[in-house]
Amino acid sequence: MSPALPARDRILLAAHDLFYRDGVRATGIDRVIAASGVAKLTFYRHFPSKNDLILAYLDYRHQRWLAWFADALARHGGNAAAIVPAIHEWLADPDFRGCAFLNSVGELAGVLPEVRDITRAHKAEVAAALAAVLPASRRRTRQAAALALALDGAILRAQFDTADAALHTLDEIVEAVLARPGAGR
């Protein structure tokens, strides 16, 4: 971690990497402090509690992931055919550990209810990004919602099966959703 970065950024980047890789509950504040190279007092000046850090982590992850997703969709053609290749990039990343938001809901929704709201907002923006690459139709919003749900399923499947299996099924779902009678209306 570059000491040239401001302390808050070092803390947030360290938390991002540790929370995503090892889980939020499994990662203690002392590990984040050690990884960021800041003093404990500095940490608590920026994040008065672990919950504050968790919420900042999810906001950072949201911004970072959506920017990547929009870029990946554009690089792969900016249309519905770009969805599976874009997701393939992510699933093939050696650091892939699933969806940070779904993982956080599973870990924290009962003790930090804000995680549900943040996840809901993130998933709505993912669906909007998907809608932006679908053909214009009156059903585009519903198609995007269906594909967002299928994307979540593919992410989960890639965690316990293979990325190829998840991508193959996701591809089938994208084709089926777009080929459904009345899809162009």
Side-chain angles (χ1 to χ4, degrees):
M1 180 109 15
S2 171
L5 288 174
R8 185 181 193 286
D9 293 347
R10 291 195 323 263
I11 295 165
L12 192 53
L13 290 172
H16 174 271
D17 294 350
L18 291 167
F19 286 170
Y20 184 66
R21 185 186 69 215
D22 300 333
V24 175
R25 283 191 165 191
T27 303
I29 293 302
D30 289 337
R31 282 183 64 206
V32 175
I33 290 170
S36 64
V38 301
K40 195 173 269 200
L41 183 59
T42 300
F43 173 87
Y44 284 109
R45 277 192 194 130
H46 291 286
F47 300 100
S49 72
K50 184 175 181 182
N51 286 351
D52 292 320
L53 179 59
I54 292 166
L55 298 177
Y57 152 70
L58 290 173
D59 180 60
Y60 175 76
R61 180 68 184 192
H62 169 74
Q63 300 302 325
R64 180 177 166 176
W65 196 88
L66 274 176
W68 167 83
F69 190 48
D71 181 64
L73 289 170
R75 279 186 283 106
H76 290 284
N79 56 32
I83 296 168
V84 173
I87 294 305
H88 179 264
E89 280 184 27
W90 183 39
L91 300 184
D93 186 320
D95 295 329
F96 172 77
R97 298 291 180 269
C99 173
F101 299 89
L102 296 177
N103 295 345
S104 294
V105 164
E107 284 191 78
L108 301 167
V111 295
L112 189 59
E114 297 97 315
V115 171
R116 271 195 195 107
D117 297 331
I118 291 167
T119 299
R120 228 179 261 117
H122 172 76
K123 296 302 180 179
E125 287 197 44
V126 170
L130 291 168
V133 300
L134 297 179
S137 77
R138 291 182 310 191
R139 298 184 60 245
R140 184 183 347 202
T141 300
R142 287 181 299 197
Q143 289 173 323
L147 293 177
L149 184 61
L151 176 58
D152 285 340
I155 293 165
L156 290 171
R157 183 164 184 189
Q159 288 181 276
F160 69 82
D161 198 351
T162 65
D164 287 343
L167 291 166
H168 175 74
T169 303
L170 180 61
D171 190 46
E172 294 286 328
I173 293 169
V174 170
E175 287 181 26
V177 167
L178 294 178
R180 185 172 164 203
R185 291 188 225 155

